[in-house]
Amino acid sequence: MSVPELANFDPQRLAEKFRAILSEINTVLSRREELRDSLIKLGRDVIKLSGWAINALHRGRVEEARKYIEEMDSIVSRFREMAKSDSFLAESGFVYNVLSEYVEAKVFYSVVVEGVIPSHRELSVPEVPYLQGVGDVLGELRRLALDYMRLGRLNEAEKVLDLMEAMYYEMRALEYPDALLPGVRHKVDVARRLIDDTKSLLLSVRARTGYGAS
C-alpha cells in the first residue's frame, strides 16, 4: 500500500488558512442572520395586512381594504430591497411565502375592485411566489362566490365562478414539476375541487329558488 508524501504539509499554516476562511464565512453568516431577523419581522406585518385586506374586501369594506393594501405596499417595497441584498435569502422559502401572501391580497383586490389582474412584473415579484399567491386567490374567489349566493346575487356568483374556472385552466396548463413550482400544482388541484363544489351548489340554489328560470 502506498500513501502520498507530506512534503509541503504544514499543519499550523493550513490551520491558520482555514481559520481565516471560516472567519470570512462567519462574517457573511452573521450579517445574513441579522438580515433574516429583520425580514421575518417585516414579513409578519405583510402577512397580517394581507389577511386584513382580504377580510375587509369580503365584508364589503373597500376603503378599509385599500388602506391596508397601501400600507402593505410600503412594507413590501422595503422587504424586497432588503431581500435583494442577499441572494440566498432572496430565493428562500420564507421570503417567497411572504411575497405570495402579498400577491394574494394585491391580485384579489385588483380583480374585485379594479377589474384587472396585475402581472408578476407589475408587482415586482418572481414567478414562483406570484403563481403561489394566485393559487390562493382562487380560494378567495370561491369564498366571494359563496357570499354572493348567500345574498341571492346568483349572476354575480356565476361571473366570479367563470373567472375562477378560467384562471384554473390557465394555471393547469403549466405542466412543470414541483421542484420548479413548489406547491402550485397542489393549489391547482384543490381549486378544481372547489370549482366543482361551487358549481354544484350554484345549480342547487338556482333549482331551489327558481332563479333564472324562464
Side-chain angles (χ1 to χ4, degrees):
M1 176 177 133
S2 62
V3 294
E5 296 293 333
L6 300 179
N8 297 314
F9 191 90
D10 183 342
Q12 183 175 354
R13 177 178 58 81
L14 293 173
E16 289 175 356
K17 174 63 175 178
F18 187 59
R19 186 181 304 115
I21 293 169
L22 288 193
S23 176
E24 181 181 345
I25 291 174
N26 183 61
T27 299
V28 172
L29 292 177
S30 177
R31 290 173 180 167
R32 181 172 292 160
E33 183 179 38
E34 291 178 6
L35 177 60
R36 181 177 181 273
D37 289 343
S38 298
L39 287 171
I40 287 174
K41 290 177 183 177
L42 286 178
R44 290 190 186 122
D45 291 336
V46 172
I47 293 171
K48 175 182 64 179
L49 289 165
S50 172
W52 287 355
I54 289 170
N55 286 332
L57 281 172
H58 281 298
R59 295 195 303 271
R61 300 176 181 175
V62 175
E63 184 59 25
E64 180 182 339
R66 184 185 64 79
K67 291 178 181 178
Y68 292 142
I69 291 290
E70 289 177 351
E71 186 176 353
M72 185 176 62
D73 280 337
S74 176
I75 296 174
V76 168
S77 179
R78 284 190 290 149
F79 183 88
R80 277 194 303 252
E81 288 305 310
M82 290 173 62
K84 284 179 184 177
S85 65
D86 189 300
S87 59
F88 177 84
L89 292 177
E91 297 183 3
S92 64
F94 92 90
V95 166
Y96 274 17
N97 180 62
V98 170
L99 292 178
S100 73
E101 295 278 349
Y102 169 67
V103 169
E104 181 184 4
K106 284 286 287 187
V107 171
F108 186 57
Y109 177 89
S110 297
V111 166
V112 174
V113 178
E114 301 169 349
V116 299
I117 298 182
S119 71
H120 61 294
R121 296 183 188 280
E122 291 169 314
L123 297 181
S124 298
V125 298
E127 295 84 357
V128 171
Y130 178 80
L131 292 173
Q132 291 171 336
V134 170
D136 290 330
V137 169
L138 296 175
E140 296 304 331
L141 289 174
R142 195 248 184 177
R143 183 178 165 191
L144 181 61
L146 294 179
D147 289 340
Y148 279 130
M149 279 188 257
R150 277 191 288 269
L151 295 172
R153 297 166 62 178
L154 304 190
N155 285 339
E156 285 100 325
E158 187 167 10
K159 287 180 180 179
V160 172
L161 184 56
D162 286 345
L163 173 61
M164 187 179 172
E165 189 162 32
M167 292 174 68
Y168 160 79
Y169 280 118
E170 295 298 331
M171 291 189 68
R172 195 181 187 288
L174 297 173
E175 294 288 347
Y176 296 100
D178 202 58
L180 291 181
L181 292 178
V184 173
R185 176 57 56 192
H186 174 69
K187 292 176 188 290
V188 171
D189 291 341
V190 169
R192 178 69 268 174
R193 295 194 294 272
L194 293 178
I195 290 168
D196 290 342
D197 290 346
T198 310
K199 273 186 173 181
S200 296
L201 182 58
L202 182 57
L203 288 172
S204 176
V205 172
R206 285 192 183 280
R208 186 172 66 249
T209 62
Y211 191 98
S214 57

